[in-house]
Amino acid sequence: MVNKITSIAMAMVAVAMLYMGGKLLLLGGSAFYALMAAGLLLTAILLFLKQRSALTLYALLMWITLFWTIYEVGFDKWQWIPRGDLVGLFGVWLALPWVVRPLTQRRFHPFLGSTVIVIIALVIGLCFYDPLPQQGTIATARTPSASTGAGNDWTAYGGSDNALRFSSLNQITRENVNQLEVAWTYHTGDLRQSDDATEYTFEATPLKVNDMLYFCTPHNEVHALNPETGAVKWKYVPQQTRTYMQQHQTCRGVSFYERRDAATDRTGQPALCRKRIFNATTDAKLVALDADSGKPCADFGQNGVVDLHVNMGEVRPHALMQTSAPLVAGDLVIVGGSVMDNGFNRGNPSGVIRAWDATTGRLVWNFDPANPDNTQPIAADSAYPQDTPVAWATLSADLKNGLVYVPFGNASPDEVGTERDPASNTEKFRDALVALDLKTGAFKWRYQSANHDLWDRDNPSQPSLVDIDYQGKPQPTVILPTKTGNLFVLNRLTGQPVYPVSQVKVSTEGGVEGEALAATQPVSSLNFIPQPLTEKAMWGISPFDQMSCRIGFHELRYDGNPWTPATEKGSLIFPGNIGVFNWGSVAVDPERQLLIAAPVRLAYKYNLIKRTPDTATERLFTKDGTPYWNENFHGDYAIHIQQFASALGIPCIAPPWGRMAGVDLKTGKTEWLRRTGTTKNLSTSFLPGRFPIGFPMGMVAHGGPLVTAGDVVFHGATADNFFRAYDSSTGALLWQTELGAGAQATPSTFMGKDGKQYVVIAAGGHGSMGTKSGDAVVAFRLK
């Protein structure tokens, strides 16, 4: 009876595999699954007929599967899972005595039994082997650098004006980092509610300055804490309008400004708001608060507020927002902008860069991508032209040379270019790093990181400024991470590449009617562009979802590079719009001239949906029953974007999906590479709750690294709620702790008045990643 039930179950699996394997074969894919299905079906028939040859045949199938697996993916244990899990489970079952005895009158079948034992031994051995990590050491010595990072304080979003996410503190070292413990935990009380945006994220990097710790929450509350205890000093809570139509409900950081004039006014009283905290909000306001009390600075704008809607013309609800920290440079506070992606084909807010006097809120200059030669403040009754590229990441500034660096992204709509004018100024500044004069906003130079962007390949990261000795020649550089995976290393005075850049040819065929595809795309010699996908790279946790992914791979257009055009039939875009790098940027140790990166590997499906005059305003997409994005009303096409995943919600491409790397900037060589993050705490559609086991596959990370002079890299960001420390020279994992929520944020570090170095991170989760939400800021110090 046991064998009959087994044979029926095996036959059912074989029929399902034959159907999917045959479909894959007809699409030009691997014939293995169809052949395996035939073998399984024959085994099931022989088992049903009580033929001992069923066991011999199955042992042969196991060996064929083993050799085929090694041929396709070598000894990567994670890629063995979908190819061998079901076959292996059937093999173990068939080798058990109650299956073998009715067929052979013996408890053990020598061929099948030994086959199972060998394969189990191989799998156990693979648990101790991983082909991915690139072992190496960055051996550069620590020497003084003109490119300074943070010291005892963390005074700016990226640590200092140079935006390196580097601290010269070295009390915490790679030798003692495993002695870290929680110093304090603070809860903001700002938690996501049912009427909030799906993209509700606590991504703030706390500042430590003025003997306080400052940060913002998703609803743009600003909290000031005692850095050593976490006790609240003051809290600014603006009026809040919760709405699911807010595309991004997040605040990544605040900025600090200290006036350089007298500390007291003419009456001898403390000067009004001599120290200020600036916050740019998701409802498009620039707010100035007294750093000591949290009260609005009455002399800035209108009672502490500059409305960023001014001179923008008609702005649709929720179309204009700010998610990144404003840049404070000299006596200016400078802000770019963020707009709703792909909401409407026309009428999207301008991507103008505006600089205000940090004391009065007076507009000092504006750089409008549509009118780059006119930076004088716009007239009060005028409006900036709409539909220009935006810079939504935090800007950077070189105060010594008087330059501001603007990482412009795309202009909405991001994935459709049928109505673009290639001769316009808008095209010149799309996906361009632009250097402006700090005092006047005058254009200095630009470097375009993508040509005719049709993939939402914004420049999402704050540029980092560092002096390096590349190939023995000192150079003042700016480093620009991109969604494609390029790290452009440019001379920050001229914009000329320091590391070589080549223009690679890409396909100009296909796409959609009216689209003019760029013939080439830039590739930096320093890049983490993922290797091209093949059918062998498809993944899953069973043969069935892997076959589904293999079928999808053949059904979608994919040119083998990141610049495959979107189509109506569907295209595979790798990397997708989340990018290899995003707002977390990179960390740079200027004293050792090393760079730490956390590149992501995820593929997405892009479908363009033709609109007609009759469907110009028809809503095509919903998510969980509510309106969703990328409708591109009144445009030629709406855009449907979704992760390339199986029906179980598992990425179709094999892990790792998240990595960490160390680069020697003197040579441009990646010296070490490792997986980062585990499967623990994942929210899955096929299991209730969260996944309880932490398999170290390498998970998606949203948030940046921090590197210190103690030769330690701190990194949260991964989808498993862990906060980790690594050796910056080798990438070795030194310490980790599980937090109460996702730490999709970039940490900061500072020296307390008690003489102890603290490391602090926001742990509040990320709505789109599905990590556990919360409202905590957690600080660590040595025991």
Side-chain angles (χ1 to χ4, degrees):
M1 180 60 69
V2 170
N3 285 355
K4 288 188 181 297
I5 294 173
T6 301
S7 66
I8 292 170
M10 187 177 291
M12 293 173 65
V13 169
V15 169
M17 186 178 291
L18 186 60
Y19 171 76
M20 295 187 71
K23 185 175 181 180
L24 176 62
L25 184 60
L26 290 174
L27 289 169
S30 172
F32 172 80
Y33 289 101
L35 296 174
M36 173 56 68
L40 283 176
L41 189 58
L42 181 57
T43 302
I45 293 170
L46 292 173
L47 186 62
F48 188 86
L49 297 175
K50 299 181 181 180
Q51 299 297 309
R52 64 180 297 173
S53 57
L55 305 182
T56 301
L57 174 60
Y58 199 82
L60 286 171
L61 291 178
M62 291 186 74
W63 281 106
I64 292 170
T65 302
L66 175 64
F67 289 130
W68 171 75
T69 298
I70 295 172
Y71 162 74
E72 280 213 325
V73 297
F75 292 93
D76 184 345
K77 55 181 173 287
W78 305 120
Q79 297 202 60
W80 279 37
I81 291 172
R83 292 167 172 83
D85 53 5
L86 192 59
V87 173
L89 286 173
F90 269 128
V92 170
W93 178 257
L94 292 176
L96 293 175
W98 50 80
V99 176
V100 174
R101 187 183 294 112
L103 301 179
T104 68
Q105 308 305 312
R106 300 166 63 183
R107 295 171 55 87
F108 183 77
H109 187 275
F111 188 24
L112 178 60
S114 59
T115 297
V116 169
I117 291 171
V118 168
I119 291 177
I120 289 176
L122 271 174
V123 170
I124 292 173
L126 286 181
C127 292
F128 303 95
Y129 171 74
D130 188 348
L132 173 80
Q134 177 182 322
Q135 305 294 341
T137 300
I138 301 176
T140 52
R142 189 170 297 283
T143 58
S145 173
S147 304
T148 56
N152 287 342
D153 287 349
W154 190 273
T155 60
Y157 175 67
S160 68
D161 293 331
N162 291 317
L164 299 175
R165 281 155 285 278
F166 166 77
S167 171
S168 61
L169 298 180
N170 60 6
Q171 186 180 95
I172 300 172
T173 68
R174 54 190 170 198
E175 286 78 22
N176 64 21
V177 68
N178 61 352
Q179 297 299 310
L180 283 180
E181 64 178 2
V182 174
W184 52 260
T185 301
Y186 173 77
H187 292 279
T188 68
D190 188 4
L191 289 163
R192 182 176 185 267
Q193 297 180 12
S194 58
D195 51 353
D196 274 319
T198 301
E199 181 96 347
Y200 186 91
T201 60
F202 191 16
E203 298 174 343
T205 297
L207 301 189
K208 193 273 183 175
V209 64
N210 192 37
D211 290 330
M212 293 192 205
L213 195 75
Y214 302 98
F215 59 90
C216 53
T217 72
H219 282 109
N220 294 111
E221 297 179 9
V222 180
H223 295 232
L225 309 182
N226 180 305
E228 293 79 29
T229 67
V232 64
K233 290 285 192 178
W234 57 258
K235 186 189 303 185
Y236 170 78
V237 182
Q239 289 185 335
Q240 300 173 356
T241 302
R242 296 175 184 264
T243 171
Y244 63 83
M245 287 304 295
Q246 188 74 48
Q247 191 170 23
H248 303 286
Q249 190 69 57
T250 192
C251 178
R252 298 190 182 98
V254 297
S255 298
F256 176 79
Y257 169 71
E258 182 171 4
R259 288 167 57 180
R260 291 175 287 181
D261 55 9
T264 58
D265 62 21
R266 287 175 293 179
T267 67
Q269 298 298 313
L272 179 67
C273 281
R274 189 172 68 88
K275 299 176 182 178
R276 304 182 176 210
I277 293 296
F278 285 101
N279 185 28
T281 69
T282 53
D283 58 354
K285 293 181 175 65
L286 179 62
V287 181
L289 305 173
D290 182 273
D292 292 323
S293 67
K295 295 180 180 179
C297 297
D299 60 344
F300 182 83
Q302 299 295 318
N303 195 31
V305 176
V306 167
D307 187 351
L308 302 180
H309 293 86
V310 173
N311 297 122
M312 286 293 193
E314 181 185 356
V315 177
R316 299 183 181 97
H318 316 297
L320 180 65
M321 67 201 85
Q322 295 287 329
T323 57
S324 297
L327 171 68
V328 169
D331 292 319
L332 299 177
V333 54
I334 308 172
V335 173
S338 183
V339 302
M340 183 184 293
D341 286 334
N342 304 313
F344 288 82
N345 188 56
R346 289 279 182 253
N348 301 293
S350 166
V352 62
I353 308 300
R354 290 176 282 184
W356 287 272
D357 183 292
T359 298
T360 66
R362 174 182 61 88
L363 185 63
V364 176
W365 56 258
N366 41 223
F367 181 83
D368 174 10
N371 299 296
D373 297 326
N374 183 12
T375 62
Q376 291 296 314
I378 192 172
D381 59 350
S382 298
Y384 301 107
Q386 295 179 320
D387 302 310
T388 54
V390 298
W392 56 264
T394 297
L395 316 185
S396 300
D398 181 341
L399 298 183
K400 178 182 176 182
N401 293 295
L403 294 173
V404 175
Y405 300 96
V406 181
F408 275 112
N410 210 332
S412 187
D414 302 88
E415 289 87 6
V416 181
T418 52
E419 297 183 25
R420 296 178 190 173
D421 178 3
S424 69
N425 283 325
T426 294
E427 281 297 290
K428 293 179 182 178
F429 293 105
R430 195 183 299 272
D431 292 352
L433 179 63
V434 176
L436 305 177
D437 183 275
L438 173 59
K439 292 183 179 180
T440 67
F443 172 76
K444 293 295 185 180
W445 57 258
R446 69 180 174 91
Y447 187 87
Q448 207 144 19
S449 62
N451 300 329
H452 193 62
D453 178 8
L454 299 172
W455 307 273
D456 190 12
R457 294 276 164 75
D458 297 335
N459 290 320
S461 301
Q462 183 183 30
S464 298
L465 314 181
V466 62
D467 294 348
I468 65 173
D469 299 312
Y470 178 59
Q471 296 183 344
K473 182 180 179 181
Q475 294 259 23
T477 70
V478 55
I479 300 176
L480 179 70
T482 72
K483 285 187 178 182
T484 308
N486 282 307
L487 286 165
F488 292 104
V489 182
L490 312 174
N491 184 299
R492 67 175 180 266
L493 303 183
T494 67
Q496 294 301 307
V498 174
Y499 285 15
V501 176
S502 57
Q503 291 285 337
V504 300
K505 291 184 178 180
V506 295
S507 175
T508 58
E509 301 298 323
V512 293
E513 184 180 355
E515 192 69 86
L517 305 174
T520 65
Q521 293 290 343
V523 174
S524 171
S525 62
L526 175 58
N527 73 77
F528 291 92
I529 297 173
Q531 290 294 314
L533 294 175
T534 64
E535 185 194 323
K536 296 176 184 178
M538 297 301 102
W539 200 68
I541 61 169
S542 75
F544 296 105
D545 54 329
Q546 191 196 43
M547 279 189 287
S548 173
C549 290
R550 286 178 181 248
I551 289 169
F553 176 80
H554 285 286
E555 289 178 334
L556 296 168
R557 172 169 175 175
Y558 177 59
D559 293 352
N561 61 53
W563 304 285
T564 302
T567 60
E568 291 184 71
K569 180 182 177 183
S571 296
L572 177 58
I573 310 299
F574 182 56
N577 63 335
I578 190 176
V580 174
F581 297 106
N582 209 282
W583 54 266
S585 196
V586 295
V588 180
D589 182 337
E591 297 173 356
R592 295 186 60 199
Q593 298 190 38
L594 64 83
L595 178 145
I596 305 298
V600 169
R601 294 177 68 253
L602 278 182
Y604 282 74
K605 294 192 293 185
Y606 286 28
N607 288 83
L608 298 182
I609 301 173
K610 181 69 176 175
R611 283 197 179 274
T612 66
D614 293 335
T615 63
T617 60
E618 180 182 340
R619 186 172 290 281
L620 302 177
F621 309 133
T622 60
K623 186 174 183 179
D624 300 326
T626 59
Y628 200 49
W629 319 115
N630 300 326
E631 294 282 3
N632 195 24
F633 293 120
H634 298 287
D636 290 335
Y637 294 90
I639 304 105
H640 187 245
I641 301 175
Q642 62 183 128
Q643 189 183 133
F644 184 38
S646 71
L648 298 178
I650 296 171
C652 275
I653 65 169
W657 306 300
R659 301 165 292 167
M660 183 171 287
V663 178
D664 182 346
L665 289 174
K666 290 186 175 182
T667 63
K669 181 182 177 182
T670 299
E671 294 289 354
W672 57 261
L673 182 72
R674 59 164 295 124
R675 300 176 193 260
T676 181
T678 72
T679 56
K680 190 173 184 184
N681 298 314
L682 284 183
S683 177
T684 58
S685 59
F686 61 93
L687 285 176
R690 294 185 177 272
F691 199 72
I693 303 172
F695 294 119
M697 291 183 177
M699 307 306 294
V700 175
H702 228 29
L706 156 69
V707 64
T708 75
D711 296 320
V712 177
V713 178
F714 290 99
H715 189 238
T718 52
D720 56 7
N721 300 352
F722 276 81
F723 187 37
R724 296 181 172 89
Y726 302 88
D727 186 326
S728 63
S729 296
T730 66
L733 178 64
L734 303 173
W735 168 84
Q736 62 181 347
T737 187
E738 187 173 357
L739 303 174
Q744 280 70 60
T746 303
S748 58
T749 186
F750 59 88
M751 185 65 73
K753 289 192 293 186
D754 55 5
K756 295 183 178 180
Q757 182 183 351
Y758 290 77
V759 181
V760 61
I761 191 166
H766 192 289
S768 295
M769 287 181 67
T771 51
K772 187 176 179 181
S773 62
D775 66 340
V777 177
V778 187
F780 298 86
R781 67 186 174 208
L782 294 173
K783 295 179 182 178

